[in-house]
Amino acid sequence: MRDLAAPVAVSETVSEKDDARCRLVQNSSYARLLTENGFHSFEDFHGLQGARVVKELKDRAVLRFEIDGVGFYLKKFAREPKQVCKRVPPGSIQWCSEGGKEFSHFCSFRQNKLATAEPVAMGEKIYRDNTVESFLLTEDFAPLVQLESLIRYQSARLKGAENREKRRNILRSVAVYASKMHEQGFNHRDFNATHILLKGVEETPFVALFDLQRVDMNPLSRFRWPIKTMAECNYTLREGDVFLPDEQFFLFQSYLGKEGKNIGFPDQLLWRWIQAKTDKIARHTAKRRLKKKG
């Protein structure tokens, strides 16, 4: 397995067409593989045919395909108004679309030694009318597994008193990642069991993230990051009665670096806010499910 926390070296090509300007940015480690298999331009990626549809929404679709036995996920974004071209943080890859923004987030996380799924390529087709189409290509994250998948389909590996230490190892690793992520100035706004990847569950797990479309880097909202992050994670840990209520508090203690220690009043207050936010997410999710059924 590649070093999933290593910085990403990229190459970029630009082509001009009558109606648009096309950018193609590739992870240099994959450039030869992609070129040898017919991926030379924006259209080769965005117009891919025959791939399996994993998800299809109004604004984007996710497809899966393989090259020489290696799996890839292609996220294609529908045509949208062009965003203001940015480099956030400074020195990162310039982007003006959803696909470009997410690829930039992957690279920024890696630049700060935060492990992610492998970013492979992104493309932007910028039309003369200031609209843009884009895509993001990532490698399949196997052999890592989603924490959500463990909870839903392999709960026997985690449930019971005999697996208590295993659960705590998972929570400790997740908390350390979250704390480091915030220290480096990033907040994954969907930090939950779906997007948390694990390897080595039987020992001290290795943690990585994927789906970085919603990342906050606004320092003015930084004081709220622990509340939203811990609440999102705690809500998804409730599923299947795998993780016990006191283990959610253990996650919080580990995030603070105060595992097994008493916490003072400010941290107690923060924990109450996290609990309130977790309950709010639960109520909101329940209402949304009722609306879908209706």
Side-chain angles (χ1 to χ4, degrees):
M1 186 177 76
R2 289 189 178 91
D3 180 358
L4 298 182
V8 179
V10 301
S11 59
E12 178 175 353
T13 56
V14 178
S15 60
E16 297 287 344
K17 299 185 178 298
D18 291 340
D19 63 338
R21 176 173 177 265
C22 294
R23 294 180 65 217
L24 179 61
V25 179
Q26 299 181 79
N27 182 332
S28 300
S29 298
Y30 293 84
R32 182 176 178 181
L33 175 68
L34 295 172
T35 300
E36 289 178 347
N37 285 274
F39 292 94
H40 305 282
S41 66
F42 174 92
E43 286 78 9
D44 293 330
F45 291 93
H46 204 271
L48 180 67
Q49 300 294 316
R52 176 170 65 87
V53 178
V54 176
K55 181 189 292 185
E56 191 161 19
L57 302 173
K58 184 178 180 180
D59 62 336
R60 65 191 184 279
V62 179
L63 313 176
R64 190 184 187 282
F65 66 98
E66 292 189 0
I67 300 176
D68 297 339
V70 179
F72 295 90
Y73 287 103
L74 177 67
K75 186 186 287 188
K76 300 198 307 182
F77 294 91
R79 193 162 172 172
E80 59 174 333
K82 176 186 171 185
Q83 300 180 32
V84 176
C85 291
K86 296 180 180 179
R87 294 183 186 271
V88 180
S92 64
I93 297 164
Q94 188 178 46
W95 51 267
C96 60
S97 68
E98 287 298 308
K101 177 176 69 175
E102 188 168 359
F103 187 85
S104 178
H105 289 160
F106 271 99
C107 293
S108 296
F109 268 53
R110 292 293 198 88
Q111 197 66 38
N112 288 275
K113 302 296 183 182
L114 292 164
T116 70
E118 196 77 63
V120 178
M122 79 86 164
E124 296 178 332
K125 187 172 184 178
I126 307 163
Y127 292 89
R128 308 301 180 198
D129 63 359
N130 279 329
T131 59
V132 60
E133 287 179 315
S134 63
F135 73 83
L136 168 75
L137 184 68
T138 57
E139 186 179 340
D140 190 326
F141 45 71
L144 279 74
V145 296
Q146 294 168 271
L147 177 54
E148 178 187 53
S149 179
L150 287 176
I151 293 171
R152 286 188 176 183
Y153 308 116
Q154 302 180 50
S155 60
R157 295 177 63 186
L158 302 178
K159 276 187 173 181
E162 68 276 15
N163 289 314
R164 179 175 179 273
E165 194 58 33
K166 188 186 298 184
R167 294 194 301 274
R168 289 199 162 212
N169 287 341
I170 290 173
L171 296 177
R172 186 182 297 113
S173 296
V174 169
V176 168
Y177 188 105
S179 179
K180 182 180 178 183
M181 176 178 69
H182 289 166
E183 286 173 3
Q184 297 297 333
F186 303 98
N187 182 48
H188 192 304
R189 295 172 63 191
D190 293 312
F191 192 86
N192 54 47
T194 301
H195 301 130
I196 295 171
L197 303 173
L198 302 174
K199 184 176 184 293
V201 176
E202 305 302 325
E203 308 90 28
T204 300
F206 173 83
V207 176
L209 295 183
F210 79 106
D211 197 343
L212 303 184
Q213 192 175 348
R214 283 166 39 90
V215 172
D216 181 16
M217 289 175 277
N218 183 358
L220 298 179
S221 61
R222 193 164 183 163
F223 74 98
R224 298 183 66 248
W225 291 355
I227 300 171
K228 182 70 187 301
T229 296
M230 292 291 104
E232 281 275 349
C233 194
N234 280 341
Y235 171 71
T236 55
L237 291 177
R238 290 179 175 182
E239 185 175 350
D241 297 322
V242 174
F243 290 91
L244 305 178
D246 68 299
E247 291 171 338
Q248 295 179 16
F249 183 65
F250 174 83
L251 174 70
F252 175 61
Q253 286 180 302
S254 298
Y255 171 84
L256 296 176
K258 298 178 180 180
E259 182 183 329
K261 299 177 182 178
N262 293 326
I263 61 175
F265 177 75
D267 292 334
Q268 292 177 22
L269 184 60
L270 180 58
W271 173 240
R272 289 173 192 161
W273 283 338
I274 291 168
Q275 289 178 301
K277 181 66 175 178
T278 305
D279 292 339
K280 184 177 180 180
I281 292 171
R283 291 193 300 270
H284 178 71
T285 304
K287 286 181 182 179
R288 200 166 53 189
R289 287 172 178 168
L290 283 173
K291 284 183 179 178
K292 284 184 179 180
K293 289 181 180 179

